[in-house]
Amino acid sequence: MPATYYIDPDACLYLKHDTCQICVATCQSKAIDFSQKPIDKTYAVGAVIVSPGFGKVSEDVLKEYGYGSHPDVVTSIEFERMTNASGPLEGEVKCFNDGRHPKALAFIQCVGSRDIGCDNGYCSGVCCMYAIKEAIVAKEHDPECEISIFYMDIRTQGKDFDQAKLKAEAMGIKFIRAKVADVMNWGKQIKLTYSEMDGSHSFAPFDMVVLSVGLESPKDARGIADIAGFELNQYDFCKTDEFDPLKTSKEGVFVVGAFQVPKDIPESVTQSSAAASLTSALMKKYRGEGVVIKEYPTEIPVMDDDEVRVGVFVCHCGINISSVVDVASVASEAREFGNVVYATESLYSCSQDAQEVLKEKIKEHKLNRIVMTACSPRTHEPLFQETLKDAGLNRSLVEMVNIRDHCSWVHAQEPEEATAKSIDLVRMGVAKSRNNKPLTEQTVPVTKVALVIGGGVAGMTTALSIAAQGFPVHLIERGEKLGGNLVNIKTTLRGENPAKLLKELTAKIKKEKLVSVYLNSELQTVSGFVGNFSSVIATGKTKKKKEVTLDHGVIVLATGGTEHRTKNFKLGTVKKVVTQFELEAKLAGKGKNRAPDSVVMIQCAGSRGDDLDYCSKVCCNQAVKNALKIKDINPESQVIVLYRDMRTYGFAEDQYKEAREKGVIFVPYELAKKPKVLSGKTDVVEYFDPILQEKVTINPKLIVLSVGLVPEGTETLSKLLKAPVTANEFFLEAHVKLRPVELAVEGVYVCGLAHGPKPIDETIVQAQAASAKAAMPLVKGTVKVAPTVSIIDKDKCIGCGICTVVCPYNAIDMLKIDKKRKAETVAASCKGCGICASRCPTFAIDMGGFTQDQILAQIKAFGNLEEV
């Protein structure tokens, strides 16, 4: 196809001013026509959600780092495309200068962010994490490549994000706290000049330099704001309220994603769900109008005596699989397996066009079993099951073989072995697929009531959001009053009043007729399944506790957290050692000495590899907030903050800058040389000053520890609900990006500190997101139960009852049939764990999709014990 040309609407004089049209007059093929002008259309809508994303850092800023003057100075976005299997280099990192693989790679952080020189004083919040990710990918591609990351602060404040940095360090990736002063062409290489904390200047050559660019506001931000009528902040991002983070200044217009404040994917996905909750509440009276219900073709019957016709589809996944596994050989071998009537390769099996091809091939070859040889069923099995339904086949007739995670990723340096293993796995998948049977999805009605556990800001916001969508809510709080941690917060970094928010929320809860509040209450037992839970709570004061049974369709966990009391730094034994919460309460009082003349704050006290493994995300902001408050009360006070990385991400960077301007001294430290609180005649702080390169001892009036946050009640609830928790006992979301507020247990959702540490605004958004997800089954009125449940052969069942004892979900009942005890599965309650099948002494129990015949067929196929 010949090249075509694009008309830039910003440059075209005709489109802008109705003048010119030289191109129309000179085009010999008459291929340009301006007579068809855009048609303006007006739509009546109840709400608008603005999500234009983010813009690019100016090239003028990039030029300061050698961008454009050397071909191997690239942006992080360009480098991302280089490492991507679907990118122009198919995942192979090469120098543009001469095509060689770089052996020395540098990342420069904070390009276009935290830079008052380009008027971008904010932190983009995502650059450190994506730089680490890209560095790890580059190191995995070439273990011999030397990689250095030049940074001011490593801001991996997301849930478990610090683990990525530890992984990178273990792989040999260097983190250098330094300011790069110059990027210079040096033949085929690039020479960096940088200055470290001790004042030393160094020079180092690199084959490639990656600029970790920040997130700008969208190019047309002001135009969008003018059209929609909402305000922007000083950086041309959307201006919102801290306690109403998604509402713009224009009623009915909401904002999500990076346009609200630069953010990572999980937060963007969470905001999307939250905005759905807000708009759903606005328009609940129109619910159901204009909805198109998807219809599927009549399911093709697949009988036991039908010929088994297997189709095998082997995915390249760009080069994620094919760079290691010989995909063509796998497909070729699969054609020789019994009952395989069609086998082929696909570049991306999950793409829309590949789904269409799959449906066509099912019809063309009359396939009634499908083996998808690709990646993880966790993320892609639902897609292929949906495609089978579109093609008229039962969803249970697809078998997934994960040769990405199990072969190409784990055997990246052993392509022959990875290919052989892939062939074995496909052989096993085909053997299992022969025994796959159509399974019926059960549809059950939903009890249109929600149970919210926890009465803090997360729980109250969730309860009000669900009620706003028209559904009753049971809100249980184990304390004597609502509020949670909000009671302890006197002000926010931006100067908002949490007490006012608490008063407003509690007033709304009391006024809302759809919300029933149970104080001094705790969950005792839970039974049932999504749409039909039954919970028993113990409610009332200690001596007058009574049990109440609540029926509900969904559960939202908002159990909150509490301040960690570290055993280090003499907390609890030395009077002048306090926590940031205790300091905040003191500063909010009226005492003469509430802002002492000298204060030392120690960040990460007991966190990030000490007592706790993680970053609590709020501590740095809390320290800056209290430091500014001290300076407001007592401008002459000496405030020293000892920190590992100041994580004032987003627009909080402005307050960090303000604190420095007001004389707050920030001194970094490494974990190996962490500060100490020493007792003698007086209690002093000893720390290593990286600029002076010596130990410093100071005797402040007050020592303030920025301790982390720990979850409350998650261990007990996880056992009651069979819901997984992380190693740090926060609830584990079903998928960090795709399902950030859902748990693996269907119908159970999480928000706030129960999910992980976060500030008030993010807690509110997550609560709104959880309410949106929880409302979905309530709105639908029915839920479909996965068919992978236990199947009991009553002829084999001897009625011993072992299965009822071992079932963790109470999903098996004992019935009397012809005067004999027989077990029967409550399909809607069964989670398919298989414990019952493993304990049945007569092998009377099979698992749908994982029958004994299927498992044995796989084992035999692997061992070549039968012809395949």
Side-chain angles (χ1 to χ4, degrees), residues 466-627:
I466 294 174
Q469 295 180 67
F471 301 106
V473 182
H474 298 301
L475 175 62
I476 66 173
E477 162 58 40
R478 70 179 183 179
E480 294 183 353
K481 58 183 180 180
L482 299 173
N485 282 306
L486 202 59
V487 175
N488 302 319
I489 304 174
K490 308 306 177 184
T491 185
T492 70
L493 186 58
R494 287 164 57 178
E496 299 290 346
N497 186 354
K500 182 182 177 184
L501 173 65
L502 176 58
K503 186 177 180 181
E504 290 173 353
L505 285 175
T506 50
K508 287 178 181 178
I509 289 287
K510 289 178 182 178
K511 186 179 179 181
E512 179 55 69
K513 295 180 181 179
L514 289 174
V515 178
S516 303
V517 179
Y518 300 84
L519 298 176
N520 299 302
S521 303
E522 292 189 68
L523 190 66
Q524 300 297 301
T525 63
V526 181
S527 60
F529 48 90
V530 56
N532 292 268
F533 290 109
S534 183
S535 298
V536 175
I537 64 168
T539 184
K541 294 189 176 180
T542 307
K543 294 182 180 180
K544 298 180 180 180
K545 288 278 186 185
K546 63 177 182 178
E547 290 191 343
V548 176
T549 301
L550 304 174
D551 294 326
H552 49 97
V554 293
I555 301 171
V556 181
L557 304 174
T559 47
T562 188
E563 188 179 59
H564 172 61
R565 303 293 294 186
T566 180
K567 296 178 181 178
N568 300 325
F569 304 104
K570 302 190 183 297
L571 179 63
T573 60
V574 173
K575 188 176 180 181
K576 70 177 182 180
V577 178
V578 299
T579 67
Q580 291 287 0
F581 271 130
E582 291 167 339
L583 172 61
E584 186 167 345
K586 183 176 182 178
L587 293 173
K590 296 182 180 180
K592 292 181 180 179
N593 299 318
R594 68 185 193 278
D597 291 335
S598 60
V599 178
V600 171
M601 297 181 178
I602 302 175
Q603 300 303 104
C604 301
S607 296
R608 296 180 62 196
D610 216 333
D611 303 342
L612 310 176
D613 290 331
Y614 54 90
C615 166
S616 287
K617 204 173 187 178
V618 300
C619 315
C620 289
N621 285 1
Q622 199 175 21
V624 170
K625 175 185 71 177
N626 286 342

Side-chain angles (χ1 to χ4, degrees), residues 126-140:
V126 302
C127 317
C128 290
M129 192 59 199
Y130 75 56
I132 292 172
K133 178 197 74 173
E134 290 178 0
I136 289 174
V137 170
K139 192 73 171 176
E140 288 174 341

Side-chain angles (χ1 to χ4, degrees), residues 180-450:
V180 175
D182 190 31
V183 180
M184 182 184 300
N185 288 354
W186 209 44
K188 290 184 178 181
Q189 291 187 304
I190 306 131
K191 184 170 72 173
L192 298 190
T193 304
Y194 57 94
S195 175
E196 297 187 68
M197 290 296 299
D198 60 3
S200 62
H201 294 270
S202 302
F203 308 91
F206 293 92
D207 296 321
M208 181 174 285
V209 172
V210 182
L211 307 180
S212 295
V213 292
L215 311 187
E216 280 264 19
S217 59
K219 180 180 177 181
D220 54 350
R222 293 187 181 182
I224 296 171
D226 288 342
I227 293 169
F230 57 81
E231 297 177 29
L232 301 177
N233 67 10
Q234 68 188 89
Y235 299 116
D236 280 350
F237 288 89
C238 187
K239 185 178 181 180
T240 60
D241 184 87
E242 192 169 6
F243 297 153
D244 223 338
L246 303 187
K247 282 189 177 181
T248 69
S249 56
K250 178 76 171 181
E251 192 68 27
V253 179
F254 304 91
V255 61
V256 299
F259 188 38
Q260 189 253 347
V261 63
K263 59 177 59 65
D264 215 328
I265 294 172
E267 285 77 21
S268 295
V269 173
T270 300
Q271 284 197 344
S272 300
S273 296
S277 174
L278 294 170
T279 54
S280 178
L282 261 183
M283 300 184 291
K284 65 182 177 185
K285 67 178 180 180
Y286 302 110
R287 184 175 290 149
E289 292 186 16
V291 174
V292 177
I293 299 175
K294 182 175 181 178
E295 295 183 357
Y296 296 96
T298 302
E299 186 173 301
I300 300 168
V302 177
M303 312 304 291
D304 288 347
D305 56 355
D306 287 348
E307 178 192 2
V308 174
R309 299 179 63 82
V310 181
V312 178
F313 296 80
V314 187
C315 184
H316 285 249
C317 195
I319 64 164
N320 271 313
I321 293 173
S322 62
S323 63
V324 178
V325 174
D326 186 344
V327 171
S329 293
V330 175
S332 178
E333 287 286 333
R335 294 186 186 101
E336 304 303 316
F337 298 156
N339 296 103
V340 174
V341 297
Y342 181 76
T344 189
E345 306 166 42
S346 173
L347 183 61
Y348 285 104
S349 294
C350 58
S351 64
Q352 183 59 43
D353 58 333
Q355 301 306 297
E356 295 302 319
V357 169
L358 175 58
K359 287 187 279 189
E360 290 171 8
K361 296 304 178 184
I362 288 173
K363 294 176 183 177
E364 180 183 344
H365 297 280
K366 297 181 181 179
L367 305 177
N368 54 22
R369 305 291 193 283
I370 301 297
V371 176
M372 295 304 305
T373 308
C375 55
S376 170
R378 184 184 179 197
T379 53
H380 287 84
E381 188 174 48
L383 171 65
F384 299 124
Q385 289 175 337
E386 183 73 7
T387 303
L388 258 65
K389 290 172 69 176
D390 287 337
L393 287 180
N394 185 280
R395 55 168 268 177
S396 300
L397 297 176
V398 62
E399 184 66 29
M400 285 202 68
V401 177
N402 185 359
I403 64 169
R404 184 193 67 178
D405 298 30
H406 296 164
C407 299
S408 66
W409 279 3
V410 294
H411 305 297
Q413 308 304 318
E414 305 161 300
E416 292 183 6
E417 290 83 354
T419 300
K421 181 178 177 182
S422 297
I423 293 169
D424 284 341
L425 291 178
V426 174
R427 183 186 297 110
M428 294 167 70
V430 170
K432 181 171 184 275
S433 74
R434 291 197 203 101
N435 293 277
N436 283 356
K437 308 291 183 186
L439 300 175
T440 303
E441 288 181 286
Q442 184 178 351
T443 300
V444 296
V446 169
T447 302
K448 295 188 176 185
V449 181

Side-chain angles (χ1 to χ4, degrees), residues 664-678:
V664 178
I665 300 170
F666 292 86
V667 181
Y669 73 88
E670 299 297 328
L671 185 60
K673 297 180 180 180
K674 67 181 182 181
K676 298 177 181 178
V677 176
L678 304 175

Side-chain angles (χ1 to χ4, degrees), residues 628-858:
L628 285 171
K629 186 66 175 177
I630 291 171
K631 284 292 187 179
D632 287 343
I633 299 169
N634 182 4
E636 301 304 316
S637 176
Q638 182 189 58
V639 182
I640 298 174
V641 180
L642 306 177
Y643 70 96
R644 289 176 64 187
D645 297 283
M646 283 305 296
R647 293 181 169 177
T648 47
Y649 61 98
F651 302 134
E653 187 70 16
D654 290 339
Q655 283 73 35
Y656 178 33
K657 175 174 173 283
E658 180 187 353
R660 299 197 304 274
E661 290 173 342
K662 289 187 174 180
V664 178
I665 300 170
F666 292 86
V667 181
Y669 73 88
E670 299 297 328
L671 185 60
K673 297 180 180 180
K674 67 181 182 181
K676 298 177 181 178
V677 176
L678 304 175
S679 296
K681 293 182 180 179
T682 59
D683 298 298
V684 299
V685 175
E686 180 185 273
Y687 64 92
F688 179 81
D689 190 306
I691 296 176
L692 299 176
Q693 286 292 295
E694 61 182 38
K695 289 182 179 179
V696 175
T697 302
I698 188 170
N699 180 18
K701 298 285 186 183
L702 199 63
I703 302 169
V704 186
L705 306 182
S706 289
V707 295
L709 298 171
V710 292
E712 286 189 295
T714 55
E715 185 178 2
T716 301
L717 283 173
S718 70
K719 292 175 181 177
L720 285 173
L721 297 167
K722 311 299 184 294
V725 293
T726 67
N728 299 310
E729 296 191 352
F730 293 101
F731 282 111
L732 178 65
E733 60 273 40
H735 191 285
V736 66
K737 294 179 181 177
L738 304 180
R739 300 171 64 192
V741 295
E742 301 169 65
L743 298 188
V745 180
E746 290 294 321
V748 183
Y749 311 89
V750 66
C751 60
L753 297 185
H755 166 269
K758 56 185 62 66
I760 296 174
D761 57 338
E762 293 178 26
T763 296
I764 291 170
V765 167
Q766 200 174 50
Q768 292 166 338
S771 73
K773 291 294 184 179
M776 288 172 68
L778 305 183
V779 170
K780 291 178 181 177
T782 59
V783 291
K784 288 186 176 181
V785 180
T788 49
V789 299
S790 62
I791 303 166
I792 300 174
D793 185 339
K794 291 183 173 58
D795 291 335
K796 292 183 179 179
C797 177
I798 59 174
C800 64
I802 291 175
C803 54
T804 63
V805 175
V806 299
C807 178
Y809 301 99
N810 298 317
I812 299 178
D813 290 337
M814 296 303 298
L815 307 176
K816 278 286 183 72
I817 299 177
D818 295 333
K819 297 182 180 181
K820 294 181 179 179
R821 277 166 47 94
K822 299 290 181 179
E824 183 172 86
T825 300
V826 181
S829 296
C830 180
K831 298 296 184 291
C833 66
I835 293 175
C836 57
S838 68
R839 295 296 298 273
C840 180
T842 62
F843 299 100
I845 304 177
D846 255 336
M847 303 305 301
F850 299 91
T851 65
Q852 293 176 49
D853 288 343
Q854 288 173 315
I855 302 301
L856 287 172
Q858 284 185 290

